[in-house]
Amino acid sequence: MGEVIVITSGKGGVGKTTTVANIGTGLAMMGKKTVVVDTDIGLRNLDVVLGLENRIVYNLVDVINGSCRLRQALIKDRRHQELYLLPSAQTKDKSAVSPEQMIKLTDELRDDFDYVLLDCPAGIEQGFKNAIAGADKALVVTTPEVSAIRDADRIIGLLEANDLRDIHLIINRLRPDMIARGEMMSVDDVIEILAVNLIGTIPDDEQIVISTNQGEPLSGRKSPAEEEYRNICQRLTGQEIPFMDISPKKGMFRRLSRIFKK
Amino acid sequence: MKIILQRKDRSADYAKSRMKLLLVSERINCSPQMMTMLKNDLIHTVKKYITVDETQVHIHITQNPAVLHADIPVRSKKEQKTK
């Protein structure tokens, strides 16, 4: 029996899809049979981030409507043995699916996969309700900005109200230089405000943009953000991995030492 | 020079205190204005029985478990005489 994990944030543009792509790839690289599901109906995105946009035949709505079998809609990533994508529909809208149908789908996927990762749409409407319906665990993605934090708090409240209490936080796009200057909230600040479990701290990293351009998550070998995505995967499988040090002073030192290593 | 030093108030600290205030009130559905009204009502009620230092009253809510804290300094008889 696999685990169903929803990746959500409330606010758009904080890195949900990138997180799903990277964690999905990372888990597959660890030998875990993983499926990533794009639940953002009408705004399909996960396929391009994974570089699988040209291989879509059927989608999530086709599966739910019974137009095809689940196996027909799953796209196998040729670069990673254990990675599969269930793409979203581009032509339908969010009302095409109900929470009950999503629970049925995730239960079916759970039987075949070790991990089922659901990429949740932004917002708190129907799409969000669908995405969280069948999940066992939630990863909330935020950035150290007031707008993202406020939305994350709202999302955490809604998850708890829906009895989804296994909630973990990923803080994305951290900039150690700005934190050192006191012009960006630190990891500790965000944790103090949101009072939730931390599972990952991702530094702002241009390699993520490059990997996304190439449609190949986790392709950069020495990228700090990708390294931390791999750490998150290990934490998800129950390993205790210490958090990357992005505390101001040491963070600066690490950055410098990294430059010298290169 | 003084102005430069004072300008050093860091935006991260400001953001953090804003968020803490905002989220606490959003979680319990109580706006900052309502908190001010609550504070005034508290002062009004306590004042009926004892003399308090109205300018030093602070209320805040802590999380996990959510508790309303009110610090209401009481004036002793001595202080009242000197005033």
Side-chain angles (χ1 to χ4, degrees):
Chain A
M1 276 287 271
E3 191 171 27
V4 182
I5 307 173
V6 62
I7 289 85
T8 181
S9 70
K11 190 180 178 299
V14 296
K16 278 183 301 294
T17 303
T18 313
T19 298
V20 173
N22 281 279
I23 294 179
T25 307
L27 287 169
M29 281 171 150
M30 289 167 70
K32 307 285 178 192
K33 196 175 177 196
T34 305
V35 60
V36 289
V37 183
D38 191 347
T39 68
D40 198 347
I41 298 162
L43 291 169
R44 181 195 276 170
N45 268 326
L46 188 54
D47 54 334
V48 279
V49 177
L50 285 166
L52 299 171
E53 69 273 18
N54 294 326
R55 297 185 41 210
I56 297 177
V57 183
Y58 296 107
N59 59 54
L60 182 134
V61 176
D62 293 326
V63 176
I64 282 174
N65 289 343
S67 314
C68 72
R69 276 174 294 117
L70 179 57
R71 269 168 206 285
Q72 290 177 291
L74 290 172
I75 300 165
K76 189 179 187 317
D77 191 323
R78 294 198 183 102
R79 295 156 301 189
H80 305 289
Q81 275 292 314
E82 308 287 346
L83 185 62
Y84 293 78
L85 165 71
L86 180 55
S88 148
Q90 187 70 308
T91 50
K92 300 276 174 20
D93 67 72
K94 274 145 189 124
S95 58
V97 177
S98 72
E100 292 72 33
Q101 289 171 318
M102 278 302 290
I103 293 172
K104 194 171 161 258
L105 177 73
T106 48
D107 281 344
E108 206 175 324
L109 288 168
R110 195 197 293 273
D111 291 337
D112 275 352
F113 292 89
D114 296 319
Y115 288 95
V116 180
L117 304 184
L118 307 173
D119 185 12
C120 179
I124 52 172
E125 293 85 20
Q126 186 66 42
F128 168 75
K129 288 172 191 156
N130 287 341
I132 66 165
D136 312 314
K137 183 193 284 245
L139 303 185
V140 175
V141 183
T142 189
T143 62
E145 289 149 45
V146 286
S147 49
I149 290 172
R150 185 193 207 171
D151 288 0
D153 189 69
R154 186 103 162 77
I155 286 294
I156 292 165
L158 288 170
L159 290 169
E160 284 172 348
N162 282 280
D163 271 328
L164 189 49
R165 287 168 197 283
D166 193 3
I167 304 170
H168 304 266
L169 187 72
I170 295 177
I171 309 174
N172 197 11
R173 299 216 192 97
L174 287 155
R175 288 186 48 183
D177 56 327
M178 286 191 75
I179 295 171
R181 276 187 278 129
E183 308 293 3
M184 179 179 271
M185 281 179 272
S186 67
V187 171
D188 292 339
D189 290 339
V190 179
I191 293 297
E192 193 185 324
I193 296 166
L194 291 175
V196 70
N197 265 336
L198 183 69
I199 196 167
T201 51
I202 317 281
D204 195 26
D205 183 354
E206 61 176 52
Q207 181 60 44
I208 294 295
V209 181
I210 299 169
S211 302
T212 307
N213 286 344
Q214 294 167 333
E216 275 185 66
L218 297 182
S219 56
R221 260 181 302 154
K222 275 190 174 171
S223 141
E226 296 190 349
E227 199 180 305
E228 179 62 7
Y229 275 125
R230 289 191 188 96
N231 290 342
I232 294 174
C233 293
Q234 288 178 298
R235 289 183 197 121
L236 280 174
T237 59
Q239 297 179 47
E240 291 229 354
I241 308 290
F243 284 93
M244 223 181 233
D245 198 351
I246 25 179
S247 59
K249 278 170 200 161
K250 284 177 187 169
M252 280 301 284
F253 179 75
R254 272 181 71 110
R255 284 192 118 201
L256 283 173
S257 66
R258 221 174 248 133
I259 292 163
F260 284 122
K261 264 185 217 162
K262 283 174 186 169
Chain B
M1 189 61 199
K2 240 186 185 174
I3 296 163
I4 297 168
L5 283 174
Q6 277 171 350
R7 278 296 308 149
K8 271 195 106 181
D9 46 343
R10 300 157 13 110
S11 64
D13 296 336
Y14 185 46
K16 186 180 170 187
S17 63
R18 277 172 65 208
M19 290 321 286
K20 282 180 93 172
L21 252 173
L22 175 72
L23 296 186
V24 164
S25 61
E26 278 188 348
R27 278 171 203 153
I28 55 163
N29 246 327
C30 181
S31 69
Q33 288 98 307
M34 282 163 73
M35 289 288 279
T36 312
M37 285 159 68
L38 168 64
K39 183 171 136 184
N40 291 337
D41 285 359
L42 273 173
I43 294 171
H44 186 75
T45 310
V46 178
K47 247 171 62 180
K48 280 194 226 166
Y49 304 94
I50 45 181
T51 319
V52 297
D53 185 355
E54 289 179 40
T55 57
Q56 296 301 310
V57 174
H58 293 288
I59 62 166
H60 67 278
I61 292 165
T62 52
Q63 305 165 37
N64 293 330
V67 176
L68 171 69
H69 298 267
D71 290 319
I72 308 175
V74 180
R75 282 224 179 109
S76 67
K77 264 188 180 170
K78 257 187 195 171
E79 283 172 84
Q80 286 170 42
K81 271 181 187 170
T82 55
K83 282 271 164 175

